Amino acid sequence: MTKSVSIISPIDNSVVAERTLSSPKDISSALEKSVQAQKQWARYRIVERAEFCHKAIVYFEDNSDDIAREITQQMGRPLQYTAGEIKALAERGRHMIAIAEEELSDIILDKQIAEKQTDEDQTCFTRFIRPTPLGVVLSIAPWNYPYLTAVNSIIPALMAGNSVILKHSAQTLLCAERFAEAFQAVGLPEGVFQYLHLDHDSTASLIQQKAIAFISFTGSVAGGDAVEKSAAGLFKGVALELGGKDPAYVRQDANLTNAVENLVDGAFFNSGQSCCGIERIYVHNTLYEEFVEQFVELVKQYRLGNPMEPETNLGPMVNTKSAEFVRQQVDQAISQGATPCIDSQLFTADKPGTPYLAPQVLIDVDHSMDIMREESFGPVVGIMKVDSDEEAIQLMNDSAYGLTASLWTKDEDKAIELGNQLETGTVFMNRCDYLDPALAWVGVKDSGRGCALSRLGYQQLTRPKSFHLKTSPTV
């Protein structure tokens, strides 16, 4: 029986689109096309691959308004922000294209000359290491930043000479189709990029296919665990960008106004549905009271409502189940002694049993509460008072996650000193919730494995091939 899937909008529970899931025959055909296309694509010069990728980015920019509306309809982010995702897609894609020529070039070793045996006989060796494509890359992308998370693997994989199959979240299937439209519009050779609409079982089966050389997954820890199990024992590469419980520490020398403004945005942008969003804040006792007061007042200024309306700057969560999880986590913390700072009645759109959830700030929290240790992935943040740098670092590291951490201070040397002690993939100073494509995007502990973006990102999408060439007058 043919299986189908519907995209249910969190805005009003309407059906955005319905799609038929790919059949075993569809999957087999896509794999065959991908394998054959990759062999030819690998022969293209890097500058030729770059031309296709640049043109695809322009397609996204030219269609930004329509794509932004689709993003909002599918996952609920306010329309005033969704076009920014296309701008960021272009920034990341163009950076990875710009550095590809250098990062994918041969590593040339000095020419080696053997000792002369006679005046006429001199043996020379030419030696170099060539980054070569892996083959077929499977990119599995989530709904929360549907284009940004996907582009992290798609553009560098293509630039490295791989073919790509994209499996997108069931919540944002239209994004996979948009990628296909972009590459088709610019004339990318058939089979180099494809998408498949799959359920969990079909995705696991696809991972296990011999033709898949590498899997790039962005999503939950549970999802990453399932991907690793599917790939176990198959000797293929897996990159996992998973969850986070990202902390911030506001030192006593911090610029208070700057810290408040940026940390409110870092905690509540995209309704808190960001792997690198701020979920817990530690504030030095000398600033704590004033910080909390300013933070709460700024949070109260959010406008929760229909994300298609221009004045809305806080939309619904992706679905009711996710919103109820956060509600339960908040209620549990309050029952354990936490104090809520926001009266949800200030946000008339907040309604239990719907994805619309008011932002919440909790104080009097500690690490016995899930709200300070387990990922929330919603519009809630806990704020704790600390007495020293040492206490802050200990608490920041007291987590199963390690994606990003931010330090708010005027002392760069101190930020580096403290950053060296943090168990995290990225250390920020006076900013948060941002991904610089020139820097390695990597997590530690349960936040994942592998490295995306930056010059290092190409290493997981290629394998080294060594050339050792002997030449002499007698050969």
Side-chain angles (χ1 to χ4, degrees):
M1 185 176 69
T2 302
K3 296 181 180 179
S4 63
V5 61
S6 298
I7 301 174
I8 306 300
S9 175
I11 300 173
D12 54 9
N13 212 37
S14 63
V15 177
V16 177
E18 293 181 296
R19 292 293 185 269
T20 300
L21 293 179
S22 301
S23 67
K25 184 178 179 180
D26 296 330
I27 296 170
S28 179
S29 176
L31 280 172
E32 184 177 350
K33 287 180 182 178
S34 197
V35 169
Q36 294 304 316
Q38 190 275 325
K39 293 176 182 177
Q40 298 302 317
W41 179 244
R43 297 178 183 176
Y44 279 66
R45 293 179 298 133
I46 293 173
V47 66
E48 293 173 319
R49 299 174 200 158
E51 185 175 356
F52 286 107
C53 291
H54 274 303
K55 288 180 178 178
I57 290 172
V58 172
Y59 167 91
F60 279 106
E61 292 175 323
D62 289 345
N63 293 276
S64 178
D65 290 344
D66 290 340
I67 294 172
R69 186 171 293 274
E70 286 178 358
I71 295 172
T72 298
Q73 290 173 332
Q74 291 175 91
M75 53 74 64
R77 187 186 313 139
L79 186 59
Q80 64 169 297
Y81 300 128
T82 45
E85 182 161 351
I86 305 306
K87 181 179 179 180
L89 174 151
E91 176 192 21
R92 293 186 191 180
R94 288 192 172 115
H95 177 80
M96 295 307 291
I97 295 169
I99 66 173
E101 189 76 51
E102 180 177 355
E103 301 310 322
L104 297 171
S105 295
D106 295 341
I107 301 171
I108 307 294
L109 306 180
D110 291 336
K111 185 165 285 191
Q112 185 182 51
I113 302 175
E115 292 185 9
K116 293 182 180 180
Q117 297 183 23
T118 69
D119 288 340
E120 293 78 23
D121 185 11
Q122 179 172 297
T123 301
C124 297
F125 297 96
T126 299
R127 300 172 300 155
F128 61 92
I129 302 167
R130 174 163 293 171
T132 59
L134 301 175
V136 181
V137 170
L138 172 60
S139 177
I140 305 176
W143 52 265
N144 63 324
Y145 286 93
Y147 288 102
L148 288 185
T149 52
V151 79
N152 289 352
S153 59
I154 291 173
I155 291 295
L158 293 175
M159 287 301 302
N162 301 290
S163 58
V164 173
I165 295 176
L166 172 62
K167 185 275 175 191
H168 221 299
S169 165
Q171 188 68 39
T172 44
L173 296 181
L174 299 184
C175 300
E177 296 175 10
R178 279 289 188 175
F179 272 108
E181 289 175 11
F183 287 121
Q184 184 177 18
V186 304
L188 186 74
E190 184 180 1
V192 174
F193 175 88
Q194 299 174 85
Y195 69 86
L196 293 168
H197 296 327
L198 305 172
D199 59 19
H200 293 317
D201 290 341
S202 296
T203 302
S205 177
L206 179 59
I207 289 170
Q208 293 167 356
Q209 296 300 310
K210 185 176 181 180
I212 298 296
F214 185 84
I215 304 100
S216 176
F217 172 85
T218 304
S220 67
V221 173
D225 181 67
V227 168
E228 272 210 321
K229 287 178 179 176
S230 296
L234 300 179
F235 306 107
K236 58 181 67 179
V238 175
L240 304 173
E241 201 273 270
L242 308 178
K245 189 72 180 175
D246 291 8
Y249 170 40
V250 182
R251 295 188 77 237
Q252 58 187 334
D253 67 336
N255 179 319
L256 189 64
T257 300
N258 179 63
V260 168
E261 290 177 354
N262 283 276
L263 286 172
V264 167
D265 183 68
F268 297 104
F269 188 81
N270 207 35
S271 297
Q273 298 168 125
S274 174
C275 58
C276 59
I278 297 298
E279 294 209 2
R280 49 200 176 106
I281 302 173
Y282 307 95
V283 184
H284 194 273
N285 61 41
T286 56
L287 296 180
Y288 179 79
E289 299 296 338
E290 188 175 359
F291 178 88
V292 170
E293 180 180 352
Q294 291 188 23
F295 193 94
V296 170
E297 286 306 308
L298 191 55
V299 172
K300 288 179 180 178
Q301 295 176 29
Y302 272 106
R303 296 176 298 280
L304 174 68
N306 187 326
M308 303 299 289
E309 296 175 357
E311 66 274 11
T312 297
N313 58 4
L314 188 69
M317 294 189 65
V318 69
N319 54 44
T320 299
K321 180 180 178 181
S322 298
E324 290 303 316
F325 173 83
V326 177
R327 287 187 174 100
Q328 291 169 12
Q329 201 178 50
V330 169
D331 289 344
Q332 181 188 56
I334 293 172
S335 71
Q336 294 174 316
T339 302
C341 297
I342 303 293
D343 182 355
S344 62
Q345 293 184 1
L346 295 172
F347 298 84
T348 56
D350 179 299
K351 291 181 175 59
T354 77
Y356 289 88
L357 176 63
Q360 186 55 269
V361 179
L362 297 173
I363 58 174
D364 302 319
V365 291
D366 60 49
H367 276 227
S368 69
M369 304 173 185
D370 284 353
I371 203 76
M372 296 300 286
R373 295 178 58 83
E374 299 298 329
E375 187 174 32
S376 301
F377 217 64
V380 59
V381 66
I383 305 177
M384 268 187 79
K385 182 191 303 184
V386 295
D387 296 325
S388 65
D389 292 346
E390 292 74 19
E391 182 182 7
I393 294 299
Q394 186 273 323
L395 290 169
M396 294 171 85
N397 285 339
D398 184 26
S399 171
Y401 301 96
L403 189 57
T404 79
S406 65
L407 301 166
W408 301 81
T409 175
K410 298 173 183 175
D411 189 336
E412 183 174 314
D413 290 337
K414 179 59 69 171
I416 295 173
E417 176 190 331
L418 298 179
N420 282 331
Q421 301 172 50
L422 288 170
E423 298 165 356
T424 188
T426 297
V427 176
F428 291 112
M429 172 182 163
N430 297 333
R431 76 178 313 176
C432 60
D433 193 27
Y434 174 75
L435 195 158
D436 183 337
L439 293 174
W441 189 243
V442 58
V444 301
K445 299 189 280 190
D446 284 357
S447 287
R449 55 171 292 186
C451 172
L453 299 177
S454 80
R455 58 186 302 177
L456 301 180
Y458 277 112
Q459 293 181 8
Q460 69 181 16
L461 295 166
T462 58
R463 63 169 59 87
K465 179 183 286 186
S466 294
F467 285 77
H468 196 161
L469 311 177
K470 176 181 178 181
T471 59
S472 72
T474 60
V475 174

